[in-house]
Amino acid sequence: MGYAVQVKRELNVFQLTGTAFSITASWIGVTGGFATGVLVGGPVVLIWGLVLIAVINVAISVSLAELISAMPNSGGQYYWVMRLAPPKYARFSAYVTGMLNLLGGLCATASISVLVGQMVMGCVSLFHPGFAVAAWQIWLIGIAHNLSCFLFNFREKLLARTMMASMVFSILAWLAVLIVLPVKTPSHTSASFIFTSTENISGWPSFGMAFMIGLLNANWSFGLLDAVSHLAEEIVRPEVNVPRALFASIAIGFATAWPLAIVLVYCMFDFDAVTSAHVPLLELFHLLFSGNRGAAVGLLSLILITLWFSTVGLHTYQMRISWAFSRDNGLPFSTFWSRVPKRFGVPINAHLLCLVLVNIISLLCIASTTAFNSLITAVLVFPNLSIMISVMFSLLPRNGHIKGPYHFGVFGKVCKVTTIAFTLVTCVVYSFPYYIPVEAGSMNYFSVILVAALLGILLDWAFRARHGFRRSQMIEHRD
């Protein structure tokens, strides 16, 4: 692809699948937002919404697989746009794509770190009910969490082993939760409540609108599907092995997420107590163990460890995006961020940059809980927009000859149109608030975040990037 070799191809398809599964973390996504999903549209949104989102994400995966197979490169979406877009629009479109992709990764890591902080402080509050949790405490726990994950990305071999351990532990933790919950529950909901209930207490008069907005929680279980594409330069035969890992992660993700969603709703015998709790999952565990706080925290610790593994993968994801983007001068001071020191074999400089940016973004949890919650929408919309732009240009007749081993013909085109349509719809729908009537504390501020991000991108392009961003035949940046 014209770039100097900076990293070794040491990953295999199983390790890549483990990385993709850890980053997407489908079943963990269900546990993180199941209570809100049930409130907005009822259990139907959570249970059948997962099925709908899984089907749509198969279409997105097929679209990605064709692009990865034809042009395997760690830059992913922005690199494809540079190759596929008409020359007049290529540089600007690729730059916007790369920035959106990077912002999505940073927002994902920030949201997980704050979620971990909330869960840890929830455990503290469970043992000390009078303890007043402060936002700055959650933020500091998030920093400690991120720093520990940062350290496990210093070596390629250590990372590969960690990701394999991650997939094994994640599946074992999933099995434990899946078995323990129905065994310990003193009561349970009915099958009709699980599969047909449309109780909507969000305030939206239209169930259809509530269903669409509620899909955000199901969609979170399949976010960041492009993660494997950014490791294409670290595996042999990426044109074949990367799509295989992508499809495997989707299959494993749905196979773990959907049964767990059913079990969680099955065990919600005290609906009001769970949905009104600060940490709904911890409250559910507490109720199931009849008030045994140690057992509840012990079971939640499996979730926390899995989230830690997921964050290690997210650090890998955002590091590779920023490193690849810097090779084409996409970021300020790109020469520094694009270096890969020989003693580490990974882009440490870009890794440090992402660590700092994530902790800065996490400060939103101190400034405003509502504003920070809007970042969850950014986790989905920003990467999907970057995928959509690359998919749109791939449909141009001038690019019909660009094909790899994975080419799906007419079915691939249908999947690409589906990807574009779904992204455009969700970009609008996910900007709506969860509950109405709307108040300052319940407003969805994603539209503000989106406008601010696009404004920042345009300003950087106007004053810096348009002069230097390019697809370069880059020099060796290996210390």
Side-chain angles (χ1 to χ4, degrees):
M1 292 297 177
Y3 292 90
V5 177
Q6 289 184 283
V7 292
K8 296 180 180 179
R9 296 185 184 273
E10 295 183 330
L11 294 177
N12 58 48
V13 69
F14 298 105
Q15 293 166 336
L16 192 61
T17 301
T19 304
F21 178 67
S22 299
I23 293 172
T24 305
S26 297
W27 74 272
I28 288 293
V30 171
T31 63
F34 78 97
T36 305
V38 170
L39 286 173
V40 184
V44 162
V45 176
L46 180 63
I47 303 302
W48 298 115
L50 269 173
V51 177
L52 175 62
I53 290 297
V55 172
I56 292 172
N57 277 276
V58 167
I60 296 174
S61 298
V62 169
S63 303
L64 279 171
E66 285 199 346
L67 292 167
I68 294 168
S69 182
M71 296 169 286
N73 182 277
S74 291
Q77 293 93 297
Y78 95 83
Y79 176 81
W80 303 331
V81 171
M82 185 69 83
R83 293 282 303 275
L84 298 171
K88 183 179 179 180
Y89 308 104
R91 290 178 64 248
F92 176 70
S93 300
Y95 171 75
V96 173
T97 302
M99 290 298 288
L100 288 173
N101 198 190
L102 178 58
L103 285 172
L106 296 173
C107 290
T109 310
S111 64
I112 293 295
S113 65
V114 173
L115 177 61
V116 168
Q118 290 173 342
M119 287 186 172
V120 170
M121 295 312 297
C123 294
V124 173
S125 298
L126 186 64
F127 281 93
H128 304 281
F131 183 80
V133 177
W136 64 266
Q137 295 168 330
I138 293 174
W139 181 67
L140 287 178
I141 292 172
I143 288 180
H145 172 75
N146 271 313
L147 185 58
S148 66
C149 297
F150 170 86
L151 297 174
F152 274 76
N153 271 276
F154 261 69
R155 299 281 184 182
E156 183 71 28
K157 290 183 178 179
L158 176 61
L159 173 64
R161 292 166 183 164
T162 302
M163 289 299 95
M164 282 303 297
S166 168
M167 187 165 68
V168 173
F169 182 86
S170 181
I171 292 175
L172 291 176
W174 167 76
L175 277 173
V177 174
L178 194 70
I179 294 171
V180 169
L181 261 59
V183 169
K184 295 299 296 184
T185 183
S187 183
H188 61 83
T189 59
S190 64
S192 61
F193 177 79
I194 298 171
F195 295 104
T196 63
S197 176
T198 57
E199 295 182 14
N200 174 25
I201 63 174
S202 65
W204 284 97
S206 167
F207 173 73
M209 180 58 72
F211 184 89
M212 289 298 296
I213 295 171
L215 283 179
L216 175 64
N217 294 280
N219 204 354
W220 203 41
S221 297
F222 291 95
L224 307 179
L225 289 179
D226 62 299
V228 289
S229 67
H230 303 291
L231 292 168
E233 295 176 38
E234 296 167 62
I235 187 171
V236 296
R237 299 186 66 210
E239 69 278 4
V240 173
N241 288 327
V242 176
R244 285 176 180 171
L246 175 62
F247 292 135
S249 67
I250 285 285
I252 299 172
F254 180 74
T256 53
W258 200 59
L260 183 63
I262 295 172
V263 167
L264 287 171
V265 179
Y266 174 85
C267 296
M268 287 182 68
F269 63 91
D270 194 336
F271 183 86
D272 293 334
V274 173
T275 55
S276 62
H278 180 65
V279 183
L281 190 65
L282 180 60
E283 180 62 23
L284 177 63
F285 292 168
H286 190 219
L287 291 172
L288 295 182
F289 285 106
S290 304
N292 187 325
R293 293 174 294 186
V297 171
L299 192 58
L300 187 71
S301 66
L302 298 180
I303 308 295
L304 286 169
I305 295 172
T306 307
L307 282 170
W308 181 86
F309 277 119
S310 178
T311 311
V312 172
L314 284 170
H315 276 261
T316 306
Y317 172 75
Q318 65 191 18
M319 181 208 311
R320 266 43 174 200
I321 296 173
S322 57
W323 162 64
F325 200 39
S326 295
R327 295 188 305 185
D328 287 316
N329 301 315
L331 297 176
F333 312 107
S334 285
T335 303
F336 182 73
W337 310 128
S338 62
R339 290 189 175 127
V340 179
K342 285 184 179 179
R343 60 185 178 277
F344 295 117
V346 295
I348 292 298
N349 297 350
H351 195 14
L352 283 166
L353 172 67
C354 291
L355 177 68
V356 173
L357 291 176
V358 164
N359 290 331
I360 292 173
I361 294 173
S362 300
L363 281 170
L364 281 174
C365 76
I366 295 179
S368 168
T369 302
T370 304
F372 181 81
N373 289 338
S374 300
L375 283 180
I376 295 176
T377 306
V379 173
L380 299 173
V381 175
F382 284 162
N384 281 354
L385 281 173
S386 70
I387 294 171
M388 183 195 75
I389 296 171
S390 58
V391 166
M392 286 175 60
F393 284 122
S394 73
L395 288 172
L396 295 177
R398 66 191 295 270
N399 295 318
H401 67 285
I402 300 178
K403 301 176 182 178
Y406 278 85
H407 182 69
F408 298 91
V410 175
F411 178 67
K413 288 183 171 62
V414 172
C415 289
K416 289 179 179 179
V417 172
T418 301
T419 299
I420 295 169
F422 177 73
T423 302
L424 291 175
V425 169
T426 54
C427 189
V428 175
V429 172
Y430 288 174
S431 298
F432 292 143
Y434 275 125
Y435 307 104
I436 57 173
V438 180
E439 299 175 353
S442 61
M443 181 62 185
N444 186 344
Y445 290 98
F446 170 70
S447 56
V448 178
I449 294 174
L450 178 60
V451 170
L454 291 177
L455 181 60
I457 290 171
L458 291 176
L459 287 173
D460 186 50
W461 172 260
F463 291 101
R464 183 198 62 84
R466 71 186 179 94
H467 302 294
F469 176 68
R470 66 189 185 280
R471 177 175 177 262
S472 60
Q473 302 295 323
M474 70 163 283
I475 62 174
E476 184 77 38
H477 279 318
R478 194 177 178 92
D479 296 340

